[in-house]
Amino acid sequence: MEYNTVCGLEVHTELSTKTKIFCNCSTAFGGEPNSHVCEICAGMPGTLPVVNERVVEYAVRTGLATNCTITRYNKFDRKNYFYPDLPKAYQISQLYLPICQNGYVEITDQINGGTKKVRIKEIHMEEDAGKLVHDEWSDCTLVNYNRCGVPLLEIVSEPDIACADEAVEYVEKLRAILQFCGVSDCKMQEGSLRADVNVSVMPVGAAEYGTRTEMKNINSFRAIHNAIESEAQRQIEVIEDGGAVTQETRRWDDVHGVNEVLRSKEDAQDYRYFPDPDLLTIVVDEEHVEELRRSIPELPVHRLQRYLKDYGLPYFDSNLLVENVDKAEFFEKTAALGAAPKSVTNWLLGDVTKVLNEKNCLLSDTKLTPEKLAEMIALIDKKEISNNAGKTVLDEIIF
Ligand code: ADP
Ligand code: MG
Ligand code: ZN
């Protein structure tokens, strides 16, 4: 029997506001454990949260950039669960009235060719939880509340993703949008972008989706890809052996490339959601939405079209250039200095990217400037230095 894979993603992104969502503590990554904490984010009785307006603005920008409708009347809800990383024993989130609804992100259709829309069911605002750290020496689990109350957006897709490659591209496209909008740095290695991956399989031609499982907090593209492939395969084997897939939460072990059952899936009712009585309704007015719409810079999809048209670049190159805002800006600035767009692209996507990957750093971490790159390309064009000498020059000027 042939099977189709069905996948829906819940992507969490930490917003790059200076302060937390309901208090004035810093959102900076790292720091002494429990140094970015106050009585509000530590959940002391009698304290009152106040919404950081920036968080609402960032959520609206993200919604507009992903073709969502913006909810005018917003409420926060309490999601109750008991785990030491959450000092209040509830997380402030949005269940009933999420701030953005019914959007989409366009990706390549890996099954039928062309492009397709991955629908976004909703985007809601919530607070992050703290971190539990196991201390080997004392054999205790310690808790660090610095991350408690860092603002998060949860971006929930419909189950429109049909394979691991589509899932990876979807997250790449989302990351580019979030970075272009300036709402998150999306550093996956620091956990500021992570995905819960829901997977099911169904026989080709079946009318209904199969039962899904969920793997939480996956924080690299490679892990997202491998987790989906391995879980779809596992489910097919269960079904082929005459068994049934059970709805559950599983843990993806990226080191060993296997997953294991963690717990049976919890439903919304398990969390006993109710409207948070401490927070007022937030009204997002039309004028403010329009103002925010105007503040969104040119998005990756539009930039890509412009690169094809104005610079005559191939689709493949343009697609790589708009992957991140730094690279796109760098390209445009260098080309504006008179360097041939295709030469700039070849250097940026070739040798420069190679060095960045080797050193695991970003363009902004280097000493390379559009001026220096344009100057070097000019020297090569004038045949004052060879292409190979150019590579040596690059090594000299990049750090
Ligand atoms: P819940 O509230 O139980 O988490 P949701 O309806 O919010 O359920 O869905 C959570 C995620 O699971 C969404 O991203 C959705 O696209 C995905 N999903 C739902 N049904 C399936 C399915 N049959 N196979 C794969 N993913 C699914
Ligand atoms: Mg969910
Ligand atoms: Zn605080």
Side-chain angles (χ1 to χ4, degrees), residues 105-124:
V105 167
E106 221 160 38
I107 63 164
T108 314
D109 187 329
Q110 299 286 345
I111 313 290
N112 305 305
T115 59
K116 71 187 255 189
K117 287 177 179 162
V118 174
R119 289 169 300 156
I120 290 175
K121 184 171 152 189
E122 62 168 75
I123 302 177
H124 59 259

Side-chain angles (χ1 to χ4, degrees), residues 14-54:
E14 281 182 3
L15 298 178
S16 44
T17 53
K18 288 202 175 62
T19 56
K20 293 186 178 179
I21 182 168
F22 300 119
C23 65
N24 283 326
C25 290
S26 163
T27 56
F29 179 76
E32 266 302 289
N34 298 309
S35 60
H36 306 159
V37 183
C38 71
E39 60 279 15
I40 296 173
C41 53
M44 298 292 178
T47 57
L48 282 174
V50 177
V51 179
N52 179 343
E53 217 176 316
R54 266 292 128 72

Side-chain angles (χ1 to χ4, degrees), residues 156-173:
V156 184
S157 87
E158 295 286 358
D160 291 345
I161 295 162
C163 63
D165 286 341
E166 285 188 3
V168 168
E169 190 188 338
Y170 168 72
V171 180
E172 279 172 354
K173 289 271 146 74

Side-chain angles (χ1 to χ4, degrees), residues 5-11 79 95 118-119 121-122 124 154-161 170 196-202 208-214 216 235 247 265-268 271 273:
T5 301
V6 174
C7 180
L9 262 50
E10 296 159 277
V11 173
K79 179 180 184 179
L95 177 72
V118 174
R119 289 169 300 156
K121 184 171 152 189
E122 62 168 75
H124 59 259
E154 177 170 341
I155 305 167
V156 184
S157 87
E158 295 286 358
D160 291 345
I161 295 162
Y170 168 72
D196 297 349
V197 177
N198 297 271
V199 180
S200 67
V201 297
M202 63 202 262
E208 271 179 42
Y209 290 144
T211 305
R212 73 178 197 265
T213 62
E214 176 170 16
K216 286 192 182 286
Q235 292 182 10
Q247 190 172 341
K265 166 103 178 80
E266 52 292 275
D267 276 323
Y271 291 118
Y273 278 98

